[in-house]
Amino acid sequence: MPEHTTASRLQLSGLCFLLQILTIILFAVFVRYSPESSPGPCSQQLNCSWRNQDSGFQHPRFRDVHLQALLGFGLLVAFLGRYGPGSVAISILVVAFAIQWAVLIQGFSYFFLNGKIYVGAQSMVSADFCTAAILISTGAVLGRVNPVQMLLLTLLGVTLFTLNEYILLSLMGVSDSGGSLTVHTFGAYFGLMVSRILHQPHMDKRKEQQDAGHQPDVFAVVGTIYLWIFWPSFTSATTVHDNAEPWAVLNTYFSLVASTLATFVLSPVLYEESTLRMVQIQDATLAGVAVMGMAGEMLVTPFGALIVGFLSGLIPPLGFRFLTPVLCSRLKIQDTCGVHNVHGLPGILGALLGMLLTALATADAYGGRLELVFPLVAQGSRTATDQALCQLCALPVTLLLATLGGSLAG
């Protein structure tokens, strides 16, 4: 046993050293600061699907998105009492490597010009979005993979995430600013397929992995508070413009409050516990933000955001009660953190909502914002119906890449 432990430690040390040396060399060859004369790395000369943003918003937005990726997701996995501290450490390890690798892989797709990758605030926000998707994936396999395997999963996951994002945003012209498809759906089903390949028959269930003590709930409290504070900025990070009202922020907040209330409606009926566990509120919060990833910047209307948020808040308690046992027993998918219920299904619901809202989009309703949300429709290159079909087709494309990529990674 000691020999096995020593070998594992040396493998982790060696892999971290090799990956860091590799990224340093690639950064030295390719990565440069974005020119100060341009408003951001997404100038007209660059092949970039991210839109130009007001430079005054760049640093605060990057800070909020980065805090959300590091602290929000890091603390959310700590509710697993058996794996809590180790899971947080692995989350930070994933973040540290995923950001470097995402800057390189996404740089070749979006920020590449004259043989160099130009990095700025936008490229860092893009890298954090990618990191969030990988952290969602790791939630499905926590406790069953070691740090070395997690790094290899990150290596392939970042590459596939960027491929999926490039196909959706650049080639298909899909609007998914908050990542219902690119972040939540891809991350969840990529992780679930890895989990399916790594199925262990005697693995304990999620409930048995939690301590009876209060420490895991304390972590869940802090993680959930970070979600409430920073996720509206995460959803709207790529939609900020000079004088545009932040619809994505408003819609995300409305969805958050309604999804949380939905948990208090349904959980007492489904479970015998007298009080809700903080983990259940955390799950509802995640579902509420996942559903607004695509539709957040669209004309959901405030009451529509409340309706959708309420519906998404019903998914986690129903999913954990009825769907998760079926996934485990029939499909042999062990979902440690329940990413299918809190990211996958709400992400799909958000994609379908985005498709519906796209089909209903008109120049009269959106005004000047139409060019920001649906530039191809505003330019006359597509009708709203054509754009809606593209939004719909993006769902099977994402599911296909996530499941095939997850099988390969597994």
Side-chain angles (χ1 to χ4, degrees):
M1 190 60 143
E3 293 180 0
H4 175 72
T5 304
T6 302
S8 298
R9 288 191 290 109
L10 292 178
Q11 285 178 355
L12 177 61
S13 176
L15 182 60
C16 287
F17 178 78
L18 289 175
L19 290 175
Q20 188 60 73
I21 294 299
L22 174 64
T23 53
I24 288 174
I25 294 173
L26 291 174
F27 265 63
V29 174
F30 293 108
V31 179
R32 300 291 184 271
Y33 297 122
S34 61
E36 293 182 358
S37 58
S38 66
C42 294
S43 59
Q44 292 182 351
Q45 293 90 359
L46 294 177
N47 176 22
C48 182
S49 63
W50 301 90
R51 308 179 187 97
N52 290 326
Q53 302 171 28
D54 180 18
S55 58
F57 286 98
Q58 292 284 14
H59 177 69
R61 293 282 162 178
F62 162 68
R63 177 198 61 205
D64 291 352
V65 171
H66 192 62
L67 279 171
Q68 177 57 54
L70 187 63
L71 291 175
F73 280 105
L75 292 172
L76 289 180
V77 298
F79 75 89
L80 297 169
R82 183 179 299 178
Y83 309 128
S87 298
V88 175
I90 289 178
S91 295
I92 295 175
L93 173 65
V94 168
V95 169
F97 175 61
I99 286 177
Q100 299 179 66
W101 193 240
V103 166
L104 288 167
I105 300 299
Q106 292 182 322
F108 288 116
S109 300
Y110 301 125
F111 309 106
F112 197 65
L113 180 66
N114 298 329
K116 301 298 179 184
I117 297 171
Y118 292 96
V119 297
Q122 269 182 323
S123 54
M124 294 306 296
V125 168
S126 179
D128 274 327
F129 269 61
C130 178
T131 301
I134 304 305
L135 289 172
I136 290 170
S137 300
T138 61
V141 295
L142 278 176
R144 287 175 289 134
V145 296
N146 59 41
V148 171
Q149 293 170 319
M150 201 68 87
L151 281 175
L152 296 176
L153 184 149
T154 303
L155 187 73
L156 185 58
V158 167
T159 307
L160 289 169
F161 170 91
T162 304
L163 175 62
N164 180 62
E165 185 184 57
Y166 182 78
I167 291 173
L168 265 58
L169 303 187
S170 293
L171 300 184
M172 298 177 63
V174 170
S175 176
D176 188 25
S177 60
S180 278
L181 281 178
T182 54
V183 176
H184 296 280
T185 304
F186 177 86
Y189 288 98
F190 178 78
L192 288 171
M193 285 308 298
V194 175
S195 178
R196 173 63 185 89
I197 301 299
L198 300 179
H199 174 70
Q200 297 175 2
H202 303 294
M203 182 68 188
D204 292 336
K205 295 181 180 179
R206 177 182 191 248
K207 187 174 181 180
E208 296 167 353
Q209 294 162 354
Q210 300 178 28
D211 283 343
H214 296 290
Q215 185 178 4
D217 270 358
V218 171
F219 282 120
V221 168
V222 179
T224 304
I225 290 174
Y226 270 106
L227 285 177
W228 275 78
I229 295 174
F230 293 113
W231 203 290
S233 294
F234 186 96
T235 305
S236 63
T238 63
T239 66
V240 177
H241 301 280
D242 296 328
N243 298 313
E245 188 68 26
W247 283 0
V249 173
L250 300 174
N251 290 331
T252 302
Y253 269 122
F254 291 138
S255 180
L256 272 172
V257 295
S259 64
T260 302
L261 205 63
T263 295
F264 282 89
V265 170
L266 199 55
S267 291
V269 178
L270 295 177
Y271 300 99
E272 297 178 357
E273 299 176 2
S274 56
T275 58
L276 262 69
R277 293 202 57 174
M278 195 64 204
V279 174
Q280 295 170 307
I281 302 174
Q282 168 188 300
D283 292 339
T285 304
L286 284 167
V289 296
V291 78
M292 275 300 152
M294 179 180 289
E297 64 173 338
M298 301 178 188
L299 188 59
V300 184
T301 70
F303 79 90
L306 290 175
I307 293 173
V308 175
F310 187 82
L311 292 176
S312 67
L314 300 177
I315 293 176
L318 288 172
F320 283 119
R321 181 63 184 271
F322 301 109
L323 189 55
T324 299
V326 175
L327 289 178
C328 189
S329 61
R330 300 288 179 86
L331 301 180
K332 310 301 181 186
I333 296 177
Q334 296 161 321
D335 187 2
T336 308
C337 292
V339 298
H340 185 237
N341 300 317
V342 299
H343 294 286
L345 292 178
I348 291 176
L349 177 61
L352 296 176
L353 173 65
M355 181 270 297
L356 176 62
L357 293 173
T358 303
L360 299 175
T362 62
D364 292 338
Y366 280 77
R369 189 185 289 267
L370 186 67
E371 186 176 357
L372 305 178
V373 182
F374 305 114
L376 295 177
V377 176
Q379 296 164 10
S381 303
R382 287 179 182 170
T383 65
T385 303
D386 292 336
Q387 182 67 36
L389 289 175
C390 287
Q391 302 281 131
L392 181 61
C393 291
L395 178 57
V397 170
T398 298
L399 292 175
L400 180 64
L401 279 172
T403 51
L404 291 180
S407 299
L408 177 62

